[in-house]
Amino acid sequence: MQSFACRPFGDAAVLVELGTTRDPELALQASSLADSLSTWLASRSLDVVSGYCSVLVRFDPLTISPEEQLRAVTDALAAYTPHLDAEAAVGGEHRSSREHRPSREHNVRVCFGGEHGVDFERTAHDLGMRESRLRDMLCGGEFRVAFLGFLAGFPYLLGLPPALNGVDRLTRPRPRVPAGSMAIAAGQCGIYPRASAGGWRLLGRTNAVLFDPSHKPATLFAPFDRIRFEPVSDLRDASVTTT
Amino acid sequence: MSTLHKRAVRVVDPGVLSTVQDLGRHGSGRLGVSPSGVADWYSGRAANRLVGNPDSATLIETTLTGATFALGHDAWVAVTGAAAPFAVGERVCEQWRAQRGRAGDRVVVGAARRGLRSYVAFDGGVIVPALFDSASTDVTSGFGGRILARGDELSLGATIDETSDVRIDPIAWIPETVLRTVRLASSPAVETLFGSSYVVSDRSSRQALALDGEGSLVGMRADLPSAGVSAGCVQITGDGMPIVLLCEHQTTGGYEVAAVVAYADIPLAAQLRPGERVSFAAVDVDEAGRALAQRRSALDAACRSVDGRRDGSAVLAAGFFEGAES
């Protein structure tokens, strides 16, 4: 049985740590663990949120003491079978949770560079590569959704080619990043569901709707989903096909 | 047999920002959906209890300038949170106590003298459609609840017209707010946090309190693998300054979390206004628990065991105000 570090996070949450890095395997395991904890804890917890290598379980401390919070999470962890879930997650056959849909594949069309990806040319230049090479690297491989966070529907994507890991955040975040912007920074990749402030480098843009609260499911992406980017030259063609 | 009352209030003046809120949108964090809800849970719960609502009922959060409403029907109203002038009709009223208003009365919540956010609860609660099981307004994301506009008509839920005359202790205002805070990390930088005094920046919002001051926390990490966060998290941003997450926080963050404000003191953090001073006092989880027990007993003073949400069947209030006021 694998053991996880589990500690109080203030008096209204418990943090479960699986590691300390952005290792893709840990991230998928964290999402799988978050699903399981959410199911087991049910209404005892307020919410369960996964990150790259941790899961935060939030509680209402008016109804459950910090001591009981820790015990509830510890008990739920004891019932977790990480090996099966983790292998399935990494192997790709994972059903992201009992009540959630199976993982899906998305072909995300992106309009790179120019006004739709204002940092694209600069990033290629900084990396010492041709723009076509950068585009091919982004569109050549498969990404997987590790988890959603930051903004409603924002996917943290695994699978950025290692050659792009050195791309930094902007020193000063932009006050407004357009909705649909595909961006990378510090080894991470994501797509902004709506206009927001943001400090990542903007490489391109899709016009897919990533979050629609009136739609079920509300998010286009879910943890474990697979994503491929396809370049298009007109933003009007930058849609998403999901299978 | 229950009688459905046709009940509503009209927004005469929403002030700078008035929103519909409840205890928050929990359970959708894995979609990236923020909890939102009342910034100051103590005042929000107190206002609801005073008018006989369950804590989870939907009420109004105003900001700094207050707001004015007109009653379309006799109703109980309670105002908590910031210390502010409060009047119902011609009567100057006491906050933190239920007041009876008559059809046509104006309910005026004035500019805050202390604190930032006032909570206005009407018996029966405000009825707006729920999104992810909550009526909260997520101002940053622009969905859920409602940002009030002049002339809006808000339907109220059914009521049992039964409110006992009790008071709940107001927030105790002190010159410099000290937030009891649980340390998460131990380092010289974190010592600096607890040894410094900060000034609330005007960049603050329902998302977070931004702080300025001398106590720059050098050496904290700003590019950690993103992880779940909660209200009260004291994160150290890239410039070394702390921010305190409030109700409308992002679900995950990559800044180092130095400490977490005790749940009991999140209401104090939520009531801080730009320019005010704040510092942090280290407490352990047990002390945080005792602080919370005090807040809970203050609330329970007014609690006549109100459980479950009343059936607040929505009644559309369109045109209802004709005749209510001359």
Side-chain angles (χ1 to χ4, degrees):
Chain A
M1 173 69 65
Q2 182 174 349
S3 68
F4 303 108
C6 185
R7 61 185 169 108
F9 191 79
D11 61 342
V14 171
L15 184 67
V16 183
E17 291 166 299
L18 290 79
T20 56
T21 63
R22 292 197 188 99
D23 178 348
E25 202 167 321
L26 281 182
L28 294 174
Q29 198 179 72
S31 269
S32 161
L33 178 61
D35 282 342
S36 298
L37 286 176
S38 178
T39 305
W40 276 311
L41 292 167
S43 61
R44 297 199 74 194
S45 65
L46 273 185
D47 213 343
V48 179
V49 179
S50 58
Y52 277 107
C53 49
S54 63
V55 177
L56 185 71
V57 186
R58 293 197 299 109
F59 291 91
D60 175 2
L62 288 170
T63 58
I64 177 168
S65 73
E67 200 179 321
E68 292 165 332
Q69 295 171 24
L70 197 57
R71 195 178 318 126
V73 175
T74 310
D75 290 350
L77 286 173
Y80 179 63
T81 51
H83 304 298
L84 292 173
D85 285 18
E87 277 166 27
V90 174
E93 296 308 313
H94 188 85
R95 302 294 179 211
S96 64
S97 81
R98 286 144 200 83
E99 75 270 32
H100 286 89
R101 62 198 178 199
S103 73
R104 304 189 299 174
E105 295 184 16
H106 310 270
N107 187 36
V108 180
R109 296 177 190 87
V110 173
C111 203
F112 287 101
E115 59 172 321
H116 301 308
V118 292
D119 300 321
F120 183 74
E121 288 80 6
R122 174 68 192 273
T123 302
H125 178 265
D126 288 352
L127 289 164
M129 59 175 69
R130 289 172 182 276
E131 290 168 21
S132 59
R133 170 88 180 125
L134 175 57
R135 189 164 48 235
D136 290 350
M137 287 188 88
L138 292 165
C139 297
E142 184 181 77
F143 291 79
R144 288 194 78 182
V145 179
F147 60 96
L148 305 177
F150 169 45
L151 304 172
F154 182 101
Y156 283 84
L157 301 179
L158 306 167
L160 192 69
L164 308 184
N165 280 349
V167 175
D168 284 342
R169 285 187 168 82
L170 303 172
T171 29
R172 198 169 270 272
R174 282 194 179 84
R176 191 178 163 87
V177 168
S181 292
M182 181 265 202
I184 68 172
Q188 306 183 81
C189 182
I191 308 171
Y192 288 80
R194 61 171 175 81
S196 123
W200 291 14
R201 305 247 189 158
L202 311 184
L203 303 186
R205 200 170 164 202
T206 174
N207 63 24
V209 175
L210 274 63
F211 179 74
D212 178 355
S214 65
H215 191 263
K216 251 187 189 322
T219 61
L220 176 61
F221 303 125
F224 309 104
D225 283 4
R226 296 165 186 281
I227 289 179
R228 280 181 176 279
F229 293 112
E230 178 191 331
V232 293
S233 51
D234 190 326
L235 187 62
R236 285 170 298 187
D237 300 327
S239 59
V240 168
T241 307
T242 299
T243 50
Chain B
M1 188 140 144
S2 68
T3 313
L4 200 65
H5 295 272
K6 191 175 182 182
R7 312 177 72 241
V9 297
R10 191 184 63 201
V11 179
V12 176
D13 176 6
V16 289
L17 174 67
S18 292
T19 56
V20 165
Q21 300 293 348
D22 59 18
L23 293 179
R25 185 166 283 121
H26 304 289
S28 299
R30 272 176 301 153
L31 305 180
V33 172
S34 168
S36 190
V38 289
D40 166 357
W41 62 262
Y42 177 76
S43 299
R45 286 177 187 261
N48 271 327
R49 289 189 187 194
L50 288 165
V51 296
N53 289 342
D55 288 9
S56 58
T58 304
L59 76 175
I60 292 159
E61 178 183 283
T62 75
T63 316
L64 196 63
T65 55
T68 302
F69 307 90
L71 295 176
H73 191 279
D74 293 0
W76 288 101
V77 55
V79 173
T80 61
F86 166 38
V88 176
E90 300 300 310
R91 274 183 306 129
V92 172
C93 292
E94 191 183 340
Q95 292 178 273
W96 300 89
R97 188 179 182 186
Q99 305 290 344
R100 187 65 174 165
R102 300 293 169 197
D105 276 354
R106 297 246 164 156
V107 174
V108 180
V109 181
R113 289 187 296 259
R114 285 300 309 267
L116 181 62
R117 298 181 165 99
S118 293
Y119 292 86
V120 187
F122 298 100
D123 64 324
V126 175
I127 303 297
V128 297
L131 212 48
F132 302 106
D133 301 324
S134 167
S136 291
T137 311
D138 187 329
V139 177
T140 314
S141 301
F143 68 83
R146 188 141 149 182
I147 296 177
L148 300 187
R150 191 180 302 269
D152 277 356
E153 292 189 3
L154 304 173
S155 298
L156 301 186
T159 181
I160 50 173
D161 280 346
E162 183 193 292
T163 303
S164 55
D165 185 25
V166 292
R167 295 178 174 84
I168 293 182
D169 290 345
I171 290 171
W173 306 106
I174 51 175
E176 173 170 332
T177 299
V178 180
L179 301 174
R180 286 168 288 190
T181 301
V182 179
R183 184 196 307 267
L184 283 195
S186 187
S187 71
V190 177
E191 293 316 307
T192 306
L193 173 76
F194 286 107
S196 306
S197 166
Y198 296 91
V199 176
V200 177
S201 156
D202 59 11
R203 304 185 308 279
S204 303
S205 67
R206 278 173 44 85
Q207 281 191 289
L209 274 182
L211 303 179
D212 292 320
E214 304 280 299
S216 175
L217 284 83
V218 200
M220 297 295 280
R221 299 170 61 196
D223 187 26
L224 290 167
S226 290
V229 291
S230 59
C233 276
V234 184
Q235 290 184 315
I236 312 306
T237 57
D239 61 3
M241 279 295 135
I243 60 173
V244 181
L245 299 186
L246 297 179
C247 58
E248 218 170 276
H249 63 82
Q250 298 169 0
T251 56
T252 59
Y255 294 123
E256 185 159 359
V257 179
V260 183
V261 175
Y263 194 74
D265 282 356
I266 286 178
L268 302 181
Q271 291 292 353
L272 284 166
R273 48 165 95 174
E276 288 186 327
R277 297 200 76 84
V278 61
S279 58
F280 300 90
V283 294
D284 61 25
V285 171
D286 292 338
E287 290 170 274
R290 285 194 291 276
L292 186 58
Q294 282 188 342
R295 294 250 192 266
R296 187 199 282 117
S297 63
L299 281 179
D300 286 347
C303 191
R304 305 167 320 289
S305 168
V306 188
D307 19 52
R309 195 181 182 122
R310 277 191 211 133
D311 174 28
S313 312
V315 180
L316 258 184
F320 175 60
F321 282 90
E322 279 88 17
E325 286 180 299
S326 52

